[in-house]
């Protein structure tokens, strides 16, 4: 079975460039989906269930997914930016 090889991230890229790097994105999206859903349920589940989601809550809910994505990218970027012994 062959695997699809994604291009390796460029060692000189910045964190901001890493946010859209196809090498980092699949892992970051999985982290955002799992952790974001868990946090969404904890922080907004009752309000959603009771129909009390306001515009501010929806904005906060979106950040609940964006933050784990960015943290995952940061970890991957930091790991790949370190010089290897």
């Amino acid at each position: 079975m062959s695997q699809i090889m994604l291009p390796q991230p460029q060692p000189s890229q910045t964190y901001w460039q890493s946010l859209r790097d196809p090498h980092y994105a699949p892992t970051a999206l999985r982290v955002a989906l799992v952790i974001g859903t868990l946090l969404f349920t904890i922080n907004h589940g009752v309000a959603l269930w009771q129909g009390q989601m306001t515009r501010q809550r929806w904005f906060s809910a979106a950040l609940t997914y964006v933050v784990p994505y960015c943290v995952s990218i940061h970890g991957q970027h930091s790991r790949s930016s370190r010089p290897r012994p």
Side-chain angles (χ1 to χ4, degrees), residues 68-83:
Y69 178 86
C70 292
V71 170
S72 177
I73 294 288
H74 182 270
Q76 293 178 75
H77 175 74
S78 296
R79 181 186 67 222
S80 69
S81 297
R82 272 191 236 136

Side-chain angles (χ1 to χ4, degrees), residues 41-79:
T41 302
I42 291 168
N43 295 324
H44 306 289
V46 173
L48 180 65
W49 185 259
Q50 295 176 348
Q52 298 174 346
M53 290 296 286
T54 63
R55 183 181 302 229
Q56 291 82 11
R57 272 195 175 269
W58 281 114
F59 179 74
S60 178
L63 289 177
T64 300
Y65 289 90
V66 171
V67 170
Y69 178 86
C70 292
V71 170
S72 177
I73 294 288
H74 182 270
Q76 293 178 75
H77 175 74
S78 296
R79 181 186 67 222

Side-chain angles (χ1 to χ4, degrees), residues 10-19 77:
Q10 299 298 322
S12 62
Q13 72 183 4
T14 67
Y15 168 73
W16 300 108
Q17 293 168 325
S18 296
L19 289 172
H77 175 74

